[in-house]
Amino acid sequence: MPKVPARPDRWLPGPTRLQLAEREEISLGLLAGATCTAIASRIGRSPSTVCREVTANGGRSDYRAWRAHERAGRVARRPKVVKLAAGPLCEQVTTWLEGFWSPEQIARRLRLEFPDDPMMWVSHETIYQSLFVQGRGELRRELARCLRSGRVRRRTAHVRPAGVLPDMVTIAERPAEVDDRAVPGIGRATSSVVAQSFGGGHPRRTPDPLRDAAPSPRHP
């Protein structure tokens, strides 16, 4: 008769996540005094992955494989329970919004008022999402009018992609005669313009010892 484990693994992580067997190897390695690098080499994972796993689950002295695996399952569970669904945190955020506090002020003040209670912490981005994102509705819609901007809809920040300049002309749009070199001197003129743009002067000449040598004195 096959042996049934006392605590079956109810959560099956994906192939890129740490498995329960790997977490047990981490626990055994820590008990033996092995380093994170040695443990990572044994289970075929990155040392940073093992270090983050150990740090997030009690450190070297308090790490337990099954407890760490259950925590990973709770973190990965979807959909997540939102912090502003109800309760004292939602009530406190609502009170301060009605007092025309900004979400940034609320997020900072919560950490000052409740330094030892992470369940009473929330980021300003979470408050914005609760107010503006369609279908969330954790906070009352009319609270959006209490924001200092007065907008009931969030404005999207237009961020210019990296490496893109206004009115930029790509090299693919240059005239065909540049590629053909059909017009005499166009290549030299282009090089001169580029050199002046980057160097601020005339294009550099290639050093030539014979050309640049000082002229020898003429004999009578």
Side-chain angles (χ1 to χ4, degrees), residues 2-214:
K3 184 178 180 181
V4 180
R7 306 174 72 178
D9 185 10
R10 295 183 296 272
W11 175 60
L12 297 177
T16 60
R17 295 178 176 270
L18 285 173
Q19 309 295 317
L20 178 59
E22 292 175 317
R23 289 189 166 93
E24 291 174 346
E25 288 291 335
I26 293 175
S27 181
L28 293 175
L30 294 175
L31 291 175
T35 63
C36 290
T37 303
I39 297 173
S41 177
R42 184 186 308 169
I43 65 176
R45 295 282 185 173
S46 171
S48 60
T49 300
V50 176
C51 290
R52 286 195 303 268
E53 169 72 12
V54 174
T55 303
N57 293 281
R60 298 183 65 91
S61 58
D62 295 330
Y63 183 85
R64 298 296 182 271
W66 184 263
R67 187 173 59 192
H69 194 70
E70 285 188 332
R71 175 185 174 275
R74 291 194 303 269
V75 172
R77 188 178 298 126
R78 297 292 188 275
K80 291 182 177 294
V81 179
V82 293
K83 299 185 70 173
L84 289 175
L89 176 60
C90 181
E91 296 176 0
Q92 185 65 71
V93 172
T94 300
T95 300
W96 283 340
L97 282 174
E98 290 174 342
F100 294 95
W101 288 36
S102 69
E104 288 83 357
Q105 289 177 322
I106 295 175
R108 290 195 296 265
R109 189 65 184 181
L110 284 171
R111 287 180 175 266
L112 294 176
E113 293 286 341
F114 308 97
D116 301 324
D117 188 3
M119 296 304 296
M120 289 294 293
W121 299 352
V122 67
S123 68
H124 67 278
E125 185 65 29
T126 300
I127 299 176
Y128 277 120
Q129 289 182 357
S130 298
L131 290 172
F132 292 116
V133 175
Q134 190 83 21
R136 296 289 294 273
E138 291 84 13
L139 296 173
R140 300 197 314 271
R141 295 295 181 188
E142 57 268 22
L143 289 177
R145 301 185 182 274
C146 297
L147 297 176
R148 295 176 181 178
S149 63
R151 292 191 301 268
V152 295
R153 190 182 298 259
R154 194 170 189 190
R155 184 172 57 191
T156 304
H158 297 283
V159 180
R160 188 176 64 195
V164 178
L165 301 176
D167 303 325
M168 184 177 65
V169 179
T170 63
I171 194 172
E173 299 177 9
R174 61 183 179 177
E177 55 267 19
V178 176
D179 293 329
D180 300 340
R181 302 298 175 94
V183 180
I186 193 171
R188 183 178 296 276
T190 304
S191 302
S192 177
V193 172
V194 173
Q196 291 179 11
S197 300
F198 287 94
H202 297 288
R204 296 181 179 178
R205 296 190 305 172
T206 304
D208 188 345
L210 297 179
R211 183 189 62 197
D212 299 335

